[in-house]
Amino acid sequence: MKRPEFIDGNGFIAEVIRTHRRKSADIRVEEGAVSVVVPVDTSLERIGELLADKRRWIKEKVALHQEMTPPGSKRYVSGESFSYLGRNYRLKVEKGPFAPVKLVQGRLVVSVPLGAEQPHMIRNALIRWYKRQAETKLNEKVARWAPQVGVTVPNMSIKTFKSRWGSCTAKGELQFNWQIMMAPNRMVDYVVVHELCHLLRHDHSPQFWGEVGRVLPDYEECREWLKRHGHVMVAL
């Protein structure tokens, strides 16, 4: 996976996504996080100019998201605990130029400048980190479980869902909620197997659950665990 690239927009952090599939820039604000998709050879200076031109619009979109996001219990300060694959890791906030979250010696370390936007920046940095982990780990798990389910490895993407952990589209593409990465490994396996089995049966019939049970005999325990604890994982 390519190393993530970021630009400090003075009040927000923009992730730079370089691609061969675009000939012009596209600035996005999704879940309060800013990204700019550009052709691969676009200079950082040019990207900075694009962000400066749209700074007012970006800040308005970020502020709107903050207003619409229900206040949670997290303050995004050093010492707070965040779950990853069922284990809790303490957050360590360092003051300085922005640096994305890294898991170092059992701590989630992030560097952000001081300012009123610091908690928002830390939250977005954590979401970006979870999404990167989800892309890597879920691709690995799909490749591992697909042969056991009896299907070819499908296309996969990471999404944000409010009330589901995964989805199988009519075209056979699997979509996974990045927040499942807070659950224990076995629960992640269950969600992957569940969606892979939808490639065999696109329903929740007894035959479908029979396919899930053939691969994961303890699937009912996993499903019940997610029902009981799922609300805690979405409270980032």
Side-chain angles (χ1 to χ4, degrees):
M1 185 181 297
K2 292 182 180 179
R3 184 176 180 178
E5 195 176 353
F6 299 92
I7 289 182
D8 190 337
N10 187 20
F12 62 87
I13 301 297
E15 182 174 10
V16 179
I17 302 171
R18 299 180 182 274
T19 176
H20 291 281
R21 291 179 287 182
R22 287 198 68 88
K23 294 183 179 180
S24 60
D26 180 26
I27 298 174
R28 304 170 182 173
V29 183
E30 300 170 329
E31 299 177 71
V34 184
S35 60
V36 53
V37 184
V38 296
V40 288
D41 57 351
T42 307
S43 68
L44 287 177
E45 290 77 14
R46 178 55 183 154
I47 297 171
E49 293 171 0
L50 293 166
L51 292 172
D53 289 343
K54 291 287 188 178
R55 187 172 187 277
R56 182 175 178 178
W57 175 82
I58 292 169
K59 292 281 285 182
E60 288 174 351
K61 294 280 283 186
V62 169
L64 180 62
H65 177 269
Q66 289 176 291
E67 290 174 8
M68 295 177 63
T69 303
S73 59
K74 299 290 188 182
R75 294 185 298 136
Y76 304 101
V77 296
S78 290
E80 279 189 315
S81 178
F82 293 86
S83 179
Y84 172 59
L85 292 179
R87 291 186 58 187
N88 288 326
Y89 296 90
R90 297 289 179 181
L91 178 66
K92 182 179 180 182
V93 179
E94 298 179 343
K95 299 176 180 64
F98 178 80
V101 173
K102 293 181 180 179
L103 183 54
V104 182
Q105 296 179 342
R107 288 183 177 270
L108 294 168
V109 182
V110 61
S111 175
V112 290
L114 283 170
E117 302 90 352
Q118 191 182 69
H120 176 71
M121 287 185 180
I122 295 169
R123 180 178 183 272
N124 281 339
L126 284 164
I127 290 174
R128 283 172 168 140
W129 182 80
Y130 276 112
K131 286 182 175 180
R132 289 197 301 273
Q133 303 310 308
E135 186 174 354
T136 300
K137 296 293 184 181
L138 289 169
N139 266 303
E140 292 173 355
K141 288 181 178 294
V142 166
R144 170 194 168 192
W145 286 107
Q148 298 186 52
V149 172
V151 297
T152 57
V153 177
N155 291 329
M156 189 211 82
S157 60
I158 305 301
K159 300 288 184 179
T160 299
F161 294 120
K162 290 184 178 180
S163 60
R164 60 174 64 179
W165 299 113
S167 175
C168 178
T169 72
K171 294 182 179 180
E173 177 186 351
L174 302 191
Q175 300 174 336
F176 294 104
N177 188 341
W178 59 268
Q179 290 169 314
I180 192 60
M181 298 310 294
M182 300 179 192
N185 238 317
R186 188 61 171 175
M187 310 310 147
V188 184
D189 286 338
Y190 160 69
V191 170
V192 169
V193 170
H194 182 118
E195 299 308 330
L196 284 169
C197 285
H198 276 313
L199 295 173
L200 299 174
R201 296 196 65 91
H202 213 83
D203 55 29
H204 286 106
S205 63
Q207 291 84 358
F208 166 79
W209 290 114
E211 293 291 351
V212 177
R214 174 177 60 82
V215 181
L216 286 183
D218 61 342
Y219 80 90
E220 290 183 340
E221 297 173 22
C222 299
R223 184 170 57 164
E224 187 60 31
W225 190 97
L226 286 171
K227 287 181 180 178
R228 291 200 311 268
H229 302 284
H231 67 283
V232 177
M233 296 190 293
V234 300
L236 179 58

